Amino acid sequence: APPALDKGPDMVPATLSNVAAMREAALRDDVAMDIIEGLTTEVGPRPAATAKEAEARTWAAAKLKALGFSNVRIETYMMPAWVRGEEEASIVAPFPQKLIVAALGNSGSTGKKGLEAEIVYFPTVADLQAAPDGSLKGKIAFVSNQMMPTQDGSSYGAYGMARFVGPNMAAKKGAAAIVIKSIGTDRHRMPHTGVTRFEEGVQPIPAAALSGPDADQIERMVKRGKPITMKLLLTPQFNGKQESGNVIAEVPGSDPSAGIIMVAGHLDSWDLGTGAIDDAAGVAIVSAAAKRIMDAGTPRRTIRVLLAGAEEVGSYGGNAYFEAHKSELHVLTSESDFGADRIWRVDFAFPESAKAVADRIATALIPLGIGKGEHPASGGADNALFVKAGVATVDLQQDGTRYFDLHHTADDTFDKVDPQQVRQNVAAWTAMLAVAANAPESLSAK
Amino acid sequence: APPALDKGPDMVPATLSNVAAMREAALRDDVAMDIIEGLTTEVGPRPAATAKEAEARTWAAAKLKALGFSNVRIETYMMPAWVRGEEEASIVAPFPQKLIVAALGNSGSTGKKGLEAEIVYFPTVADLQAAPDGSLKGKIAFVSNQMMPTQDGSSYGAYGMARFVGPNMAAKKGAAAIVIKSIGTDRHRMPHTGVTRFEEGVQPIPAAALSGPDADQIERMVKRGKPITMKLLLTPQFNGKQESGNVIAEVPGSDPSAGIIMVAGHLDSWDLGTGAIDDAAGVAIVSAAAKRIMDAGTPRRTIRVLLAGAEEVGSYGGNAYFEAHKSELHVLTSESDFGADRIWRVDFAFPESAKAVADRIATALIPLGIGKGEHPASGGADNALFVKAGVATVDLQQDGTRYFDLHHTADDTFDKVDPQQVRQNVAAWTAMLAVAANAPESLSAK
Ligand SMILES: [Zn+2]
Ligand SMILES: [Zn+2]
Ligand SMILES: [Zn+2]
Ligand SMILES: [Zn+2]
């Protein structure tokens, strides 16, 4: 059914015209692009709990100070670290040739000698699930589902299961290793890495993503009906507990009792690319928008920028921030972590008492080509615990159509970022923050 | 000036209607796609003078026999072999991070320990050329010109100089090594390999291509004005003389005195991809078109299919074929080696006496969207010596707009081939051969 037409929001003309001016000015923003360029060039890849991630914190704290933010600080925590090793794969028989692979985060190691085994082909995770226990003993499971692009990114959840749970499933069925078709939508020989998880008590097996064309190649071999032998070498390591951390900065508000608005992106990135769209973009967009609010004068509410560490491997930064700061009154939290392309939809999870604020935000976004969605906002990894705790959230949904062409690959680099779309993001975040930070209404249900 | 309107060719209605039927039938061809799929899947990468190239010869000879060709044979020759080794690069200072590189064919080795040196940036080859002798001593030259796409591929010649002659130039100026921005038009982290050449007496230095985004990254660092140190590890080897070879097949003609029409593609490929567009496509297109002539009945002239070896590293196969067969009367030679995309233009280098044949070919190509060009055909690498010797040639020019997105990269794989465009190629080659093989006129100037 088509959405019911809302009756118009209560108009607040003076505020809206102010918001409009800030929004239009943000369409000429250069701060966000400067941050993306600097972080991806001067730091580059910044995997969680490594020296590069620490370098990113130093870089970001200096940048936020230079931009004029208050209370800029680094808050560290310890976390388990996993680091990539060598990775090689090839078909040994019947058609010998090299393949391009990348280990998944938390993958086990094949040892330095690698392993050679027959592959067992599963078109989908459901087929793997249906394989009898023990049937994979000594084999390499190969799950080859093909994700297609979606604007809202929903196909990631469905097809990503091959990465999220496939390795654990294969391990429990006795597989020696697992390879999956990359969870991605491109046709380049770029494997998509990403974290996988093994249940407590399940020994991690070697687990890797093949690029799409490499998985296609094996599918063509499978059709020829002969047994296929693969050689796999993956030598990642678990490095014990290492330091990671968050970078925090503030635009202090005039009314401490009105609560904090927290906006987040994540500083860490996968190691294969330079993490431009994931998530230098989010870091840059929320920082640039917060700076615009700061430069426009003191807002009613404090805006706190959280540049989280270690999102990729389990939201360690977001969770550490929650534990450290949950006693402070957060009235709204929001995350930017879906690339650098334009925002096309806005979703809210606001208390009924703040419905007018949501309406004013939605109205302010209309000129940017952003319509209000029909479902509640769900937040992101870095504000998940606040959302779970009932704090209001708003999702400024980015266009995900090409996100999974690049996501978690070597191709996630600065040149993929479109400055005009980044500016549209900054404009949307600026408008949202301008309304929310200054709203006279309460934003919390309590 | 716009081209002068030709007066219409002498029409040969019976022949043209026959050609039209063959052309239309070829638009439903499946043979070419089957060859591309088979060669790229069952053999995969097939670098010159390696066991994989030998495997490709065996595969191709069996395929041509199965398709019904006559006199299918392999003709071998010896040639110098170069093989890729390890390859790694990184920026050591001021912004440490890994880079993605591929050695150029004929690159020297850094030795197993690699080398670390300051880079000297040259925007173009002309800038490298202008560097004073000795000024590069102990340095890594970095030439970063950016090729743009052209339909006729002409930008390859202009920008490719960085690869063709840059390494020799840098070596003569004392450079320890050279890296270039890939000669390519994509924005993926895929280095484009390809052959380079060192003059007699010039010791090969390590020479590699950086992917476009990696070269961009260094350019951004260069703008920051600090010295940049690079670590480079390249361990390719010269393997002495090894065996390579050509595969030859025929459609015997009814009139030996009318001469041979030779059509060529090359069997070898670079090692990074599976050589789908370069040049399984050419191999498949000329073979499929020749088969269509064969299946339509005995042509007047013999059609000889040459699947040449070792084109990539210096046209060893095409040259060996010329030496072995130049005494046989070749009246027309033509090559397909510019991918798998549609043919958009036809160029001729025919003797004046055969102008009517060229006109009939051009007329037969009009329904395929192929117009006659204004300049003479120049042939390709595998028929170069025949063209030089004055034998007629025709260039069925393929659209090169996206060719250099893929050329000589890991991304040159089967999924990049568009079946409909391949069929248009087969239709054009079939029409050309149907006219030329049966033309009553002489095709040679003699
Ligand atoms: Zn992310
Ligand atoms: Zn991510
Ligand atoms: Zn070629
Ligand atoms: Zn080539």
Side-chain angles (χ1 to χ4, degrees):
Chain A
L5 277 179
D6 273 1
K7 57 181 167 63
D10 292 340
M11 300 298 286
V12 185
T15 306
L16 278 185
S17 96
N18 189 32
V19 169
M22 290 172 72
R23 182 190 65 219
E24 297 307 306
L27 287 172
R28 298 185 297 278
D29 179 80
D30 283 327
V31 171
M33 282 303 288
D34 177 63
I35 291 174
I36 302 173
E37 198 263 3
L39 184 57
T40 59
T41 303
E42 299 182 7
V43 183
R46 40 200 185 279
T50 68
K52 292 298 285 184
E53 195 198 32
E55 209 181 291
R57 288 194 290 281
T58 306
W59 188 96
K63 174 62 80 172
L64 292 167
K65 273 181 198 153
L67 289 171
F69 285 95
S70 300
N71 305 326
V72 177
R73 60 203 190 268
I74 292 171
E75 295 182 353
T76 60
Y77 47 85
M78 300 299 284
M79 58 166 284
W82 174 94
V83 289
R84 189 177 304 281
E86 286 183 282
E87 36 202 22
E88 288 176 18
S90 56
I91 296 297
V92 177
F95 307 120
Q97 52 198 277
K98 282 180 77 168
L99 302 168
I100 302 182
V101 287
L104 302 179
N106 291 328
S107 166
S109 171
T110 59
K112 281 190 182 297
K113 290 186 176 164
L115 71 86
E116 197 174 305
E118 194 176 321
I119 70 160
V120 184
Y121 168 64
F122 300 104
T124 70
V125 178
D127 299 300
L128 171 60
Q129 175 83 78
D133 276 351
S135 64
L136 294 177
K137 202 158 170 62
K139 304 283 171 66
I140 299 175
F142 167 46
V143 183
S144 199
N145 66 191
Q146 174 64 57
M147 176 186 177
M148 297 299 283
T150 47
Q151 190 174 21
D152 66 2
S154 54
S155 54
Y156 184 53
Y159 290 82
M161 297 308 281
R163 192 189 89 213
F164 311 146
V165 305
N168 184 64
M169 214 179 262
K172 285 166 70 180
K173 289 176 189 289
I178 180 171
V179 293
I180 62 168
K181 180 181 278 192
S182 279
I183 307 305
T185 51
D186 61 295
R187 298 252 61 76
H188 297 293
R189 291 186 78 193
M190 296 272 172
H192 294 239
T193 190
V195 78
T196 190
R197 235 168 272 298
F198 294 93
E199 284 170 42
E200 196 73 33
V202 175
Q203 176 69 22
I205 57 174
L210 292 156
S211 85
D214 288 272
D216 292 349
Q217 182 80 324
I218 302 179
E219 287 178 49
R220 283 189 290 272
M221 293 181 188
V222 166
K223 284 201 186 113
R224 282 155 162 89
K226 293 178 192 161
I228 299 170
T229 309
M230 178 182 283
K231 172 107 198 262
L232 192 61
L233 173 77
L234 300 172
T235 61
Q237 286 187 304
F238 293 93
N239 253 358
K241 294 236 170 181
Q242 302 292 335
E243 190 172 81
S244 178
N246 296 319
V247 177
I248 294 167
E250 282 172 15
V251 181
S254 60
D255 180 357
S257 73
I260 294 165
I261 297 179
M262 188 270 272
V263 294
H266 67 85
L267 260 185
D268 66 310
S269 78
W270 280 104
D271 48 352
L272 302 177
T274 60
I277 65 155
D278 185 14
D279 185 29
V283 160
I285 290 161
V286 301
S287 300
K291 176 174 165 57
R292 286 182 173 271
I293 304 298
M294 175 172 73
D295 292 350
T298 303
R300 182 181 173 214
R301 295 184 172 84
T302 292
I303 295 172
R304 189 175 286 171
V305 176
L306 166 64
L307 307 185
E311 186 276 345
E312 293 294 1
V313 289
S315 306
Y316 290 94
N319 295 353
Y321 174 86
F322 180 81
E323 287 308 320
H325 297 279
K326 62 188 170 188
S327 65
E328 298 167 64
L329 177 64
H330 287 74
V331 293
L332 176 65
T333 68
S334 188
E335 185 206 67
S336 176
D337 184 19
F338 198 48
D341 282 351
R342 63 180 286 275
I343 296 167
W344 63 289
R345 200 182 76 198
V346 58
D347 299 318
F348 297 95
F350 274 29
E352 192 53 34
S353 57
K355 185 178 178 303
V357 183
D359 286 343
R360 290 205 300 282
I361 292 171
T363 300
L365 297 176
I366 288 286
L368 296 173
I370 301 166
K372 187 170 173 296
E374 300 165 56
H375 300 287
S378 53
D382 286 319
N383 66 340
L385 299 180
F386 287 100
V387 173
K388 200 173 163 196
V391 174
T393 190
V394 53
D395 291 345
L396 292 163
Q397 306 282 15
Q398 292 167 295
D399 191 324
T401 309
R402 68 177 190 128
Y403 185 64
F404 293 103
D405 288 355
L406 307 169
H407 181 248
H408 295 184
T409 72
D411 240 355
D412 179 4
T413 49
F414 179 64
D415 51 289
K416 308 307 183 304
V417 177
D418 172 0
Q420 280 312 110
Q421 297 196 66
V422 168
R423 291 184 184 112
Q424 188 258 17
N425 272 266
V426 175
W429 278 83
T430 299
M432 181 277 284
L433 285 177
V435 173
N438 294 304
E441 301 95 327
S442 166
L443 296 177
S444 61
K446 300 158 197 174
Chain B
L5 277 180
D6 273 358
K7 60 181 164 63
D10 292 338
M11 299 300 284
V12 185
T15 306
L16 277 186
S17 95
N18 189 32
V19 169
M22 290 173 71
R23 182 190 65 220
E24 297 308 304
L27 287 173
R28 299 184 299 277
D29 180 80
D30 283 328
V31 171
M33 283 302 288
D34 177 63
I35 292 174
I36 302 172
E37 198 263 3
L39 184 57
T40 59
T41 302
E42 299 182 6
V43 183
R46 41 199 185 279
T50 67
K52 292 298 285 182
E53 196 198 31
E55 209 182 292
R57 288 195 291 280
T58 305
W59 187 96
K63 174 62 82 175
L64 292 167
K65 272 180 200 155
L67 289 171
F69 285 96
S70 300
N71 305 326
V72 177
R73 59 203 189 270
I74 292 172
E75 296 182 353
T76 61
Y77 47 85
M78 300 299 285
M79 57 166 285
W82 174 93
V83 290
R84 187 177 305 282
E86 286 182 283
E87 36 203 23
E88 288 176 17
S90 56
I91 297 297
V92 177
F95 307 119
Q97 53 197 277
K98 281 180 79 169
L99 302 168
I100 301 182
V101 286
L104 301 178
N106 291 326
S107 166
S109 171
T110 60
K112 282 190 181 296
K113 290 187 176 165
L115 70 86
E116 197 174 307
E118 194 176 322
I119 70 161
V120 184
Y121 168 66
F122 300 104
T124 70
V125 177
D127 299 300
L128 171 61
Q129 175 83 76
D133 277 350
S135 64
L136 293 177
K137 203 158 170 60
K139 304 283 171 65
I140 299 176
F142 167 46
V143 182
S144 199
N145 65 192
Q146 174 64 55
M147 176 185 177
M148 297 301 282
T150 47
Q151 189 175 20
D152 67 1
S154 54
S155 53
Y156 183 54
Y159 291 82
M161 297 309 281
R163 192 188 90 213
F164 312 146
V165 305
N168 184 65
M169 213 178 258
K172 286 165 70 179
K173 289 175 190 289
I178 180 171
V179 292
I180 62 168
K181 181 181 277 192
S182 279
I183 308 305
T185 51
D186 61 295
R187 298 252 63 77
H188 297 293
R189 291 187 77 193
M190 297 270 172
H192 294 239
T193 189
V195 78
T196 190
R197 236 169 269 299
F198 294 94
E199 282 170 45
E200 197 71 35
V202 175
Q203 177 68 24
I205 56 172
L210 292 157
S211 86
D214 288 272
D216 292 348
Q217 182 80 325
I218 302 179
E219 286 178 48
R220 283 188 290 271
M221 293 181 188
V222 166
K223 285 202 185 112
R224 282 155 162 88
K226 294 178 194 160
I228 299 171
T229 309
M230 178 181 284
K231 172 106 198 262
L232 191 61
L233 173 77
L234 300 172
T235 60
Q237 286 187 306
F238 293 94
N239 253 358
K241 293 235 172 181
Q242 301 292 335
E243 190 173 79
S244 179
N246 296 320
V247 178
I248 294 168
E250 282 173 15
V251 180
S254 59
D255 181 357
S257 73
I260 294 164
I261 297 178
M262 187 271 271
V263 294
H266 66 84
L267 261 185
D268 67 309
S269 79
W270 281 104
D271 49 351
L272 302 177
T274 61
I277 66 153
D278 186 13
D279 185 27
V283 160
I285 290 161
V286 301
S287 301
K291 177 175 165 54
R292 286 181 171 272
I293 303 299
M294 175 172 73
D295 291 350
T298 304
R300 181 181 174 213
R301 295 184 172 85
T302 292
I303 296 172
R304 189 175 284 171
V305 176
L306 167 63
L307 307 185
E311 187 275 344
E312 292 294 1
V313 288
S315 305
Y316 290 94
N319 295 352
Y321 175 88
F322 180 81
E323 287 308 321
H325 297 280
K326 63 187 170 190
S327 64
E328 299 167 65
L329 177 64
H330 286 74
V331 293
L332 177 64
T333 67
S334 187
E335 185 205 67
S336 176
D337 184 19
F338 199 47
D341 282 351
R342 65 179 286 274
I343 296 167
W344 62 288
R345 200 182 75 198
V346 58
D347 299 319
F348 297 95
F350 275 28
E352 192 55 32
S353 56
K355 183 177 181 305
V357 183
D359 286 344
R360 289 204 300 282
I361 292 171
T363 300
L365 297 177
I366 288 286
L368 296 173
I370 302 166
K372 186 169 174 298
E374 300 165 55
H375 300 288
S378 53
D382 287 318
N383 66 341
L385 298 181
F386 287 100
V387 173
K388 199 173 162 196
V391 174
T393 191
V394 53
D395 290 346
L396 290 163
Q397 306 282 15
Q398 293 167 295
D399 191 324
T401 310
R402 68 177 191 129
Y403 186 65
F404 293 103
D405 288 355
L406 306 169
H407 182 248
H408 295 183
T409 72
D411 240 355
D412 179 3
T413 49
F414 179 65
D415 51 288
K416 308 308 183 303
V417 176
D418 173 358
Q420 280 312 110
Q421 297 196 65
V422 168
R423 291 184 183 112
Q424 189 258 15
N425 272 264
V426 176
W429 278 82
T430 299
M432 182 277 282
L433 285 176
V435 173
N438 294 304
E441 301 95 329
S442 166
L443 295 178
S444 62
K446 298 160 197 169

